[in-house]
Amino acid sequence: MLDLNFPKFSFRFKNSENKVSIFDVIRKKFIVLQPEEWVRQHCVHYLIEVKNYPISLINVEKELKVNDLKKRYDIVVFNTDGSIKLIVECKAPKIKISQDTFDQIARYNLTLNADYLMVTNGINHYYCKMDFEAEHYQFLRDIPEYSQQ
């Protein structure tokens, strides 16, 4: 797989029926390794190992309803009170991050009300802090480290 713009992480792999799978520490199972999954797993390890987010507060690939449509988010990080701190939208490295990508995560956030948004294709990462009163997001250099606050 392609080297991504993340630190080097240690992953567990398995080969079965000529398909390579990667172990997801959140879902606690092997997932077939596709380009988007490669990005998602790097992002999960980045949140845990670099930003110190507890595994217990991270959720991966769950369904949500947006305007009666079933959608799936890539990664959500919760606050300890159950509110959502961060939504991450992962794309395959060959997918260019565009306004459409931000529109997608913004639609998800109408339902989820996260404080922070992250969009990544593994090469380029974009981070935003929501300003709900002004109804816009502010770009950041990085997402904050986890804290109990």
Side-chain angles (χ1 to χ4, degrees):
M1 278 277 158
L2 180 71
D3 278 345
L4 300 178
N5 186 16
F6 282 104
K8 298 286 183 217
F9 298 113
S10 180
F11 296 105
R12 288 175 44 205
F13 298 97
K14 154 176 116 168
N15 202 335
S16 176
E17 299 174 18
N18 290 331
K19 290 186 180 174
V20 175
S21 296
I22 187 168
F23 188 76
D24 182 326
V25 297
I26 305 301
R27 292 178 274 186
K28 294 181 174 50
K29 64 181 183 178
F30 282 92
I31 308 295
V32 174
L33 187 55
Q34 301 287 342
E36 184 178 313
E37 191 63 43
W38 185 235
V39 173
R40 186 169 24 254
Q41 291 306 313
H42 273 79
C43 195
V44 164
H45 282 260
Y46 176 74
L47 293 171
I48 295 166
E49 297 175 35
V50 176
K51 293 299 180 176
N52 301 309
Y53 285 83
I55 288 177
S56 62
L57 296 179
I58 300 173
N59 212 319
V60 174
E61 283 250 291
K62 293 286 186 193
E63 192 174 276
L64 76 147
K65 275 193 165 184
V66 179
N67 299 327
D68 292 328
L69 297 173
K70 290 181 180 180
K71 302 289 185 180
R72 290 184 84 73
Y73 60 71
D74 285 306
I75 302 169
V76 163
V77 179
F78 292 92
N79 290 302
T80 53
D81 67 2
S83 63
I84 296 177
K85 183 178 195 89
L86 168 70
I87 306 172
V88 183
E89 179 61 30
C90 300
K91 297 295 184 191
K94 67 177 173 108
I95 304 294
K96 188 174 194 269
I97 304 292
S98 66
Q99 185 62 49
D100 287 344
T101 313
F102 283 97
D103 292 346
Q104 177 185 0
I105 200 170
R107 277 192 304 276
Y108 291 179
N109 207 32
L110 290 173
T111 301
L112 299 174
N113 296 315
D115 298 322
Y116 295 91
L117 308 177
M118 176 180 175
V119 176
T120 182
N121 62 5
I123 307 301
N124 299 303
H125 316 299
Y126 299 94
Y127 313 96
C128 305
K129 180 173 181 16
M130 294 303 301
D131 181 341
F132 291 103
E133 298 217 353
E135 296 183 349
H136 76 278
Y137 43 82
Q138 170 190 347
F139 283 92
L140 305 172
R141 293 189 109 131
D142 201 350
I143 54 171
E145 288 218 11
Y146 177 78
S147 69
Q148 296 288 343
Q149 303 162 1

